Amino acid sequence: MRYLPLTPDDRTAMLAAIGVTSIDDLFVDVPRAARRDGFVDLPRVMGELEVERALKALAGKNTAAGDVPFFCGAGAYRHHVPATVDHIIQRSEFLTSYTPYQPEIAQGTLQYLYEFQTQVANLTGMEVANASLYDGSTATAEGVLMATRVTRRNKAVFSGGVHPHYVRASETVVHAVGVETVSLPAAIDAEAAVIDAIDRDTACVVVQTPNVFGTATDVTKIAEAAKAAGALLIVVVTEAVSMGLLKSPGEMGADIVAAEGQSIGNALNYGGPYVGLFACKQSLIRQMPGRLCGETVDADGERGFVLTLSTREQHIRRDKATSNICTNSGLCCLAFSIHMSLLGETGLRKLALLNHEKALATRDALAAIPGVEILTPRFFNEFAVRLPRPAAEVVEALGNHRILAGVPYSRLAPGVGPNGERWDDVLLIAATETTLDADIQILAKSLTKVLGA
Amino acid sequence: MSTMNTVGRPTAPTVVDHDYKHPTLTGGRGLLQDELLIFETDGWYKTGVDLPEPTSDGGDLGALVRRDPIGLPGLSEPEAMRHYVRLSQKNHAIDLALYPLGSCTMKHNPRLNEKMARLPGFSDIHPLQPISTVQGALELMDTLAHWLKTLTGMPAVAMSPKAGAHGELCGLMAIRAAHEASGQHEVRRKVLVPTSAHGTNPATAAFVGYTVVEVAQTDDGRVDVADLASRLGPDVAAIMVTNPNTCGLFERDIVEIARLTHEAGAYFYCDGANFNAIVGRVRPGDLGVDAMHINLHKTFSTPHGGGGPGAGPVVLSEALAPFAPAPWVVNDGDGFKLIEREEDEAAQAFGRMCAFNGQMGMFVRALSYMMSHGSDGLRQVAEDAVLNANYIKARLSDVMSAAFPDGPCMHEALFDDEWLKGTEITTLDFAKAMIDEGFHPMTMYFPLVVHGAMLIEPTETESKAELDRFIHALRLLAAAAKAGEVERFKGAPFHAPLRRLDETRAARSPRLRWTAPEGHNMAAE
């Protein structure tokens, strides 16, 4: 066992020092009937080489995005991450450190959290940000709960443009505490319907921009309507890079921003780990969930950083805590922060524009295909198309030709809406700076062929 | 105390009234360089990435385009390397030395796990790409689920919770769904939680809308079964017990607790954060547990990463299995399928915990660790974790006061501050003095049921030599405390990158982000 340093002699000497004769003497509190002798029915110890071979064989059964033309988005995006990012996060002092409970010997972690909070606040156009949550969807759920605490109201309105998995993950949690949700029907341009749904019981309105169909929207009017009704506006962003080009949620009047930060610094990872960005107005910080890093001074008057406002937290307030969250996405937010530092404002704007341009080029190539209808009017790097056949079938067929053509909307929500509206022929297509012009040509050509057959 | 200038250095020379530190002119100390915030550098228009020139300015987005400065400084690649490497040198880490935080299981993080998680076949796959193109990922999830079910003796597992507390939430929502299905939810409104439980337990129960009822503890640090029995009734939905508990002890009466709970029609939630103490020797399923989260990042070693990311799969009993949230993996003999919506296959799933499939990157690391140990090695893990903790307890009990001196502890040794009485030195002072000796302090003031608690968890990946070095240091410190060397403790740490930090000031007037000082122009080069 290469990870276990004790030798048989060590164990004998230690048992003697403790004053017992065998290891079983240390397990005497376990009820006899529950003690298991021998080994459970699982493989025995494996050397490094064997483990590597076994896991490589599994990895080899998957089609990696980087090996094929790739157009999947819908809340997870493939971007190029500079080599430096992964190198730095693998430094022992970051990778193997824990929650900075002893600030005097955790200033490295605390300072990057403070820098991360500032970057996120600036990017989202908000006053303050926390030190990350699990992902964008759980951040959205926490945002809704926070809004109900702040407003003392009990209803959340979800726009039909919010990612269906985000809606479902939020509903699951908030229904458990008795919060009522109104989830509006899916629509490409979903935001117009939201204002009508706001009333005096509404704690918050949840909108997404760009939305799940890629539609980029100015939500200023929704913010005004929410404010007039005493409700908060939560803006969800699933593609963080979009904020490098589009007006920030803060500029449009958001009270809370819940975003997915995976796009910056983090790989696709089949859905996790990701990094939840959470930002809000200064006036709301005592109801904010999750971990916060704050500036202070040490005994010599030198600047330093500590975790702060922990009186909101579960270890002090127990059943009166603002949330039960105990873990953040420390390493993933470090990756975000490093990548953002490398990009800087100049790099981020450039990156965002390149994403937009690649998506426009993809749209133009597909618009020329008979039977393909472009649905999204204004978008950042993702748009929806209507196909003459169920999108899932088309994606499968293209998958067989080693083209990952996008995400069928029916993968996220039922293909037929409550009033009979059809979504099963809608395909979500994303392009990023990693999309090659050749990939776009292959997609267009193959799609033409598949649809023509 | 001096005031700070814009870059955080004192504007006047600091008066140092002790012998332990002589101030330098720049604030740097040997290899330990002072490091500004990225916002205090001059690189507002710098970038450390080379990208092709865009050909447009986002024209067709018109009024939607962001026009004002965002406020994001850039660093060239060498500047970024130095910034983060310098920061890293101000962190303690498990790769540097023992990290004896109780209840946190700071063990070695094998680099093989990192290498495996970065295979493009795992790291570069999209959560929504066609199922036929991710068969290896689904097989990995299925294999990991099999290991978890076998090690716990439980029939089902929900894989998607993203951390331990998220797993607790998942477990309690499954319990709630089961009570709703049997029509008892309206009357079963209470969750019993012992006073020694992790703080997340009562927080989670309250989060799901339950009334939390505390259960007393016996003098020997266990759940008071008589008190528990008196509180059980038709209004109780569940009990939540941490086992081994936060006092580092095995709940001797756990089988009886489970029996009483089930007789009352309630479910038994076990906090499995300390599973590494019993893995391979005890199956929670045999103890009568209905739901238990497993912190993969603690028991099966994923990187701790400054406090995350984690992963918290929840094993479930037969009774709760039908309510597990989406998504889940099935193998119908014709390859693996991913069931993504609860309405598929007419399941009773209570919903969804997060957008996608859980912490796949953590699943790879955990399976890599499990396979590296095998069933034989994992049993050794539990034995060595328990042996190391008892060794520390035995070697320090004559100079420090063990909170529960009788009988063995499990994976962590718990002391109180009785032995510091009359010295003017607190648990906090003692912990800060450990920093000067090169060790990360233990967990302080937790569990709350023990006065001035010091909770030490060495884990199974410490050698005897390292434990002896740690014990030696603590014995010297204990002697110094008893000899009245108060200054050594009150002012500590003296040899850390910073001295003791003012946490009250941080909370009273929170400064949570950098803001430009008066007259600072973000656009200025």
Side-chain angles (χ1 to χ4, degrees):
Chain A
M1 316 306 169
R2 59 191 178 278
Y3 306 146
L4 301 177
L6 297 185
T7 65
D9 284 349
D10 289 337
R11 294 186 183 110
T12 307
M14 291 164 76
L15 287 169
I18 295 163
V20 296
T21 52
S22 83
I23 190 75
D24 290 330
D25 295 337
L26 300 179
F27 284 84
V28 287
D29 289 330
V30 178
R32 186 71 206 108
R35 276 183 241 165
R36 299 190 66 87
D37 301 319
F39 303 128
V40 292
D41 186 19
L42 288 167
R44 297 287 181 268
V45 59
M46 284 186 203
E48 188 155 331
L49 179 65
E50 287 172 279
V51 175
E52 213 171 314
R53 280 190 180 153
L55 288 177
K56 271 188 177 159
L58 284 179
K61 293 181 187 178
N62 301 321
T63 304
D67 292 343
V68 296
F70 177 82
F71 297 90
C72 300
Y77 301 88
R78 182 165 196 272
H79 292 284
H80 177 256
V81 179
T84 303
V85 174
D86 195 44
H87 177 84
I88 293 171
I89 70 164
Q90 287 204 69
R91 278 190 68 87
S92 285
E93 303 91 332
F94 290 133
L95 187 79
T96 78
S97 64
Y98 193 59
T99 307
Y101 290 134
Q102 297 291 340
E104 297 84 1
I105 46 171
Q107 284 299 304
T109 295
L110 287 159
Q111 185 169 332
Y112 83 62
L113 291 178
Y114 190 77
E115 292 175 343
F116 171 83
Q117 286 174 185
T118 309
Q119 286 172 325
V120 172
N122 291 358
L123 183 66
T124 55
M126 303 300 288
E127 286 165 336
V128 286
N130 73 11
S132 80
L133 295 177
Y134 307 138
D135 72 352
S137 66
T138 53
T140 303
E142 291 289 347
V144 172
L145 292 172
M146 177 175 159
T148 61
R149 289 194 297 272
V150 169
T151 60
R152 298 171 191 271
R153 295 181 183 181
N154 209 34
K155 192 168 88 182
V157 175
F158 284 85
S159 147
V162 181
H163 194 297
H165 284 182
Y166 278 50
V167 177
R168 192 69 195 110
S170 298
E171 283 174 348
T172 300
V173 172
V174 308
H175 285 173
V177 291
V179 174
E180 187 196 331
T181 57
V182 177
S183 300
L184 300 173
I188 305 286
D189 235 336
E191 312 315 335
V194 168
I195 291 173
D196 294 339
I198 303 172
D199 61 23
R200 290 278 155 193
D201 298 326
T202 308
C204 60
V205 190
V206 186
V207 301
Q208 179 179 325
T209 184
N211 74 18
V212 70
F213 300 102
T215 311
T217 317
D218 189 332
V219 297
T220 307
K221 286 205 167 59
I222 300 171
E224 285 162 6
K227 194 171 182 187
L232 301 183
L233 174 67
I234 301 178
V235 174
V236 173
V237 181
T238 61
E239 169 54 294
V241 175
S242 69
M243 289 182 277
L245 178 61
L246 300 175
K247 266 189 189 172
S248 72
E251 209 180 331
M252 298 187 286
D255 296 290
I256 297 170
V257 177
E260 175 53 70
Q262 172 268 330
S263 277
I264 308 211
N266 287 280
L268 288 168
N269 287 327
Y270 199 49
Y274 286 178
V275 47
L277 314 182
F278 194 99
C280 66
K281 294 190 165 160
Q282 175 84 23
S283 56
L284 306 178
I285 57 171
R286 287 184 200 267
Q287 288 297 329
M288 196 182 203
R291 194 166 285 163
L292 286 166
C293 173
E295 184 184 323
T296 188
V297 292
D298 80 349
D300 291 335
E302 296 200 13
R303 178 175 68 185
F305 304 95
V306 293
L307 293 184
T308 194
L309 297 183
S310 56
T311 46
R312 307 162 302 136
E313 285 180 24
Q314 32 75 24
H315 55 271
I316 295 172
R317 301 256 295 163
R318 295 175 78 83
D319 56 326
K320 292 177 184 65
T322 52
S323 78
N324 75 333
I325 298 170
C326 213
T327 298
N328 69 340
S329 265
L331 208 59
C332 300
C333 80
L334 174 61
F336 177 102
S337 197
I338 300 166
H339 192 182
M340 193 61 98
S341 302
L342 284 166
L343 286 166
E345 186 143 347
T346 312
L348 179 69
R349 284 187 190 269
K350 221 185 219 190
L351 177 69
L353 269 174
L354 288 169
N355 271 256
H356 184 52
E357 287 174 7
K358 291 288 187 182
L360 290 178
T362 309
R363 176 195 66 185
D364 293 347
L366 299 188
I369 301 172
V372 174
E373 182 194 350
I374 307 292
L375 298 178
T376 312
R378 297 168 311 282
F379 56 85
F380 171 61
N381 70 352
E382 184 164 19
F383 56 93
V385 299
R386 195 179 289 284
L387 302 176
R389 285 170 49 194
E393 275 177 39
V394 175
V395 166
E396 271 305 319
L398 290 171
N400 292 336
H401 292 98
R402 289 179 60 77
I403 298 161
L404 299 177
V407 177
Y409 185 78
S410 61
R411 184 88 187 260
L412 307 176
V416 181
N419 302 317
E421 62 273 30
R422 296 200 69 84
W423 294 102
D424 56 356
D425 49 6
V426 171
L427 178 61
L428 309 177
I429 293 173
T432 70
E433 80 286 356
T434 66
T435 308
L436 305 177
D437 291 340
D439 295 339
I440 298 172
Q441 298 318 314
I442 292 169
L443 175 69
K445 214 166 165 182
S446 307
L447 189 59
T448 309
K449 212 156 131 192
V450 166
L451 293 180
Chain B
M1 196 176 291
S2 59
T3 54
M4 287 184 295
N5 68 10
T6 55
V7 296
R9 281 282 139 209
T11 47
T14 305
V15 179
V16 180
D17 59 353
H18 53 76
D19 299 331
Y20 295 89
K21 187 184 141 200
H22 184 76
T24 62
L25 298 171
T26 60
R29 237 173 281 168
L31 291 179
L32 205 55
Q33 293 298 306
D34 188 43
E35 188 61 12
L36 300 177
L37 292 164
I38 51 175
F39 304 93
E40 293 158 348
T41 61
D42 58 1
W44 285 91
Y45 283 114
K46 250 185 222 178
T47 179
V49 296
D50 292 327
L51 290 165
E53 277 308 314
T55 54
S56 72
D57 60 355
D60 76 325
L61 287 164
L64 285 171
V65 171
R66 186 172 191 156
R67 302 287 174 196
D68 296 335
I70 305 174
L72 296 167
L75 301 173
S76 66
E77 195 171 299
E79 288 171 308
M81 281 304 295
R82 278 200 192 144
H83 177 68
Y84 290 103
V85 169
R86 284 174 178 171
L87 288 188
S88 76
Q89 292 181 327
K90 297 179 180 185
N91 265 3
H92 187 94
I94 188 67
D95 285 350
L96 285 168
L98 182 76
Y99 211 133
L101 283 177
S103 247
C104 299
T105 316
M106 292 300 295
K107 60 168 71 169
H108 172 59
N109 297 159
R111 291 311 190 278
L112 173 63
N113 301 352
E114 298 304 308
K115 188 175 173 187
M116 294 300 95
R118 284 170 173 79
L119 291 170
F122 294 133
S123 67
D124 194 24
I125 54 174
H126 190 280
L128 297 167
Q129 69 185 61
I131 299 302
S132 60
T133 66
V134 289
Q135 286 294 298
L138 297 180
E139 185 177 341
L140 183 132
M141 287 173 73
D142 194 59
T143 305
L144 177 62
H146 174 72
W147 279 74
L148 294 175
K149 289 186 286 187
T150 306
L151 289 168
T152 56
M154 304 282 277
V157 58
M159 297 291 281
S160 63
K162 286 181 168 275
H166 206 217
E168 286 178 25
L169 195 58
C170 174
L172 276 206
M173 289 204 287
I175 287 169
R176 183 189 154 121
H179 285 312
E180 279 171 353
S182 68
Q184 293 188 61
H185 174 62
E186 293 309 317
V187 289
R188 293 191 180 271
R189 304 299 308 142
K190 289 181 183 166
V191 169
L192 309 187
V193 184
T195 48
S196 63
H198 281 140
T200 45
N201 295 174
T204 302
F207 201 86
V208 184
Y210 288 114
T211 304
V212 175
V213 178
E214 287 204 339
V215 178
Q217 192 174 9
T218 58
D219 290 341
D220 69 349
R222 270 88 172 178
V223 175
D224 184 329
V225 180
D227 188 55
L228 174 81
S230 74
R231 293 175 193 278
L232 277 167
D235 56 349
V236 174
I239 62 162
M240 299 181 84
V241 173
T242 305
N243 190 38
N245 69 25
T246 55
C247 297
L249 304 169
F250 195 90
E251 292 289 350
R252 256 181 239 128
D253 300 314
I254 190 157
V255 175
E256 176 68 0
I257 292 170
R259 191 184 63 80
L260 290 169
T261 302
H262 291 150
E263 265 179 22
Y267 290 102
F268 185 178
Y269 188 89
C270 183
D271 182 319
N274 301 329
F275 188 49
N276 73 316
I278 56 172
V279 63
R281 287 194 69 110
V282 183
R283 299 190 310 174
D286 296 340
L287 302 171
V289 169
D290 291 300
M292 182 181 93
H293 71 267
I294 301 166
N295 301 68
L296 293 186
H297 48 299
K298 295 183 176 185
T299 305
F300 302 112
S301 88
T302 61
H304 287 84
V314 181
V315 287
L316 297 165
S317 63
E318 212 67 74
L320 296 180
F323 305 101
W328 62 90
V329 177
V330 292
N331 186 350
D332 56 8
D334 192 27
F336 293 92
K337 285 201 294 181
L338 185 67
I339 306 300
E340 291 178 279
R341 285 203 300 271
E342 59 261 39
E343 66 267 24
D344 294 343
E345 307 218 334
Q348 294 173 274
F350 67 73
R352 168 178 275 280
M353 296 299 297
C354 58
F356 301 120
N357 310 316
Q359 306 289 69
M360 183 65 187
M362 301 298 138
F363 299 163
V364 179
R365 290 171 174 92
L367 187 62
S368 168
Y369 186 81
M370 288 173 163
M371 291 168 81
S372 294
H373 280 86
S375 60
D376 40 347
L378 288 175
R379 190 178 164 92
Q380 191 69 55
V381 159
E383 294 182 0
D384 286 357
V386 171
L387 180 62
N388 281 354
N390 277 283
Y391 182 65
I392 284 179
K393 183 182 168 196
R395 294 280 319 273
L396 290 175
S397 285
D398 59 331
V399 293
M400 294 165 62
S401 43
F404 301 102
D406 301 329
C409 58
M410 294 304 284
H411 59 300
E412 44 198 4
L414 179 60
F415 298 91
D416 58 28
D417 61 357
E418 183 67 30
W419 66 282
L420 284 171
K421 249 189 189 161
T423 61
E424 293 176 50
I425 294 160
T426 64
T427 294
L428 178 74
D429 299 330
F430 187 77
K432 297 298 182 191
M434 284 172 68
I435 293 174
D436 284 334
E437 306 301 329
F439 292 97
H440 194 285
M442 69 296 257
T443 292
M444 308 174 295
Y445 303 107
F446 181 84
L448 306 173
V449 289
V450 168
H451 196 270
M454 304 178 202
L455 184 63
I456 301 175
E457 178 173 9
T459 83
E460 66 277 9
T461 59
E462 293 305 325
S463 68
K464 180 169 178 293
E466 182 76 358
L467 295 178
D468 285 338
R469 205 169 72 81
F470 176 72
I471 289 163
H472 177 66
L474 258 59
R475 292 185 72 88
L476 289 177
L477 280 172
K482 286 171 186 169
E485 292 181 31
V486 178
E487 261 311 293
R488 176 182 296 283
F489 295 90
K490 284 291 172 201
F494 298 104
H495 301 288
L498 287 181
R499 299 282 310 287
R500 210 176 288 194
L501 286 144
D502 187 348
E503 310 210 18
T504 312
R505 171 177 167 149
R508 196 170 294 151
S509 44
R511 294 185 64 178
L512 306 175
R513 64 180 289 192
W514 181 85
T515 44
E518 205 68 32
H520 182 104
N521 182 3
M522 286 199 296
E525 290 270 4

